[in-house]
């Protein structure tokens, strides 16, 4: 018996996986764009003086990104807890 006998079921699973992968890529891209926009607005002045980031700007961006991920992780954990407890979100 072959694993490929039920080709329609395999194709359905592959389409599901593709849809989930596309959704995940969209979510990651959105997160990246929000981080870039937010941290750029907070840490980089409107008028550029130098071509590269100075030390203060680089530190600000590092902290901003770290805070963004920490908050994202905390919110995700809280949503999972609420979902697991059956609480409305």
């Amino acid at each position: 018996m072959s694993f490929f006998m039920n080709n329609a079921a395999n194709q359905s699973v592959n389409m599901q996986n593709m849809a989930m992968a596309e959704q995940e890529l969209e979510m990651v891209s959105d997160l990246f764009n929000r981080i870039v926009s937010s941290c750029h607005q907070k840490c980089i002045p409107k008028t550029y003086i130098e071509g590269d980031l100075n030390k203060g700007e680089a530190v600000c961006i590092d902290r901003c990104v770290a805070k963004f991920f920490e908050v994202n992780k905390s919110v995700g954990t809280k949503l999972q807890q609420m979902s697991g407890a059956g609480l409305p979100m």
Side-chain angles (χ1 to χ4, degrees):
M1 187 155 123
S2 172
F3 288 115
F4 303 107
M5 286 183 71
N6 194 352
N7 196 19
N10 286 337
Q11 192 166 5
S12 173
V13 169
N14 288 340
M15 294 302 286
Q16 270 185 320
N17 288 346
M18 285 296 294
M20 287 176 22
E22 287 174 356
Q23 185 179 16
E24 186 171 352
L25 179 61
E26 188 175 316
M27 289 171 34
V28 169
S29 295
D30 179 58
L31 176 65
F32 175 79
N33 289 332
R34 285 187 288 132
I35 289 171
V36 168
S37 176
S38 178
C39 294
H40 183 272
Q41 185 177 5
K42 290 177 185 176
C43 298
I44 312 280
K46 302 286 185 219
T47 55
Y48 296 118
I49 299 171
E50 303 171 11
D52 294 330
L53 294 175
N54 63 37
K55 186 171 180 153
E57 293 166 341
V59 169
C60 179
I61 288 175
D62 285 343
R63 289 180 180 163
C64 181
V65 171
K67 287 178 185 179
F68 212 99
F69 277 117
E70 187 63 34
V71 168
N72 192 40
K73 179 182 169 187
S74 297
V75 169
T77 301
K78 186 66 173 176
L79 288 174
Q80 283 181 344
Q81 290 172 349
M82 290 172 65
S83 167
L87 297 172
M89 288 189 260

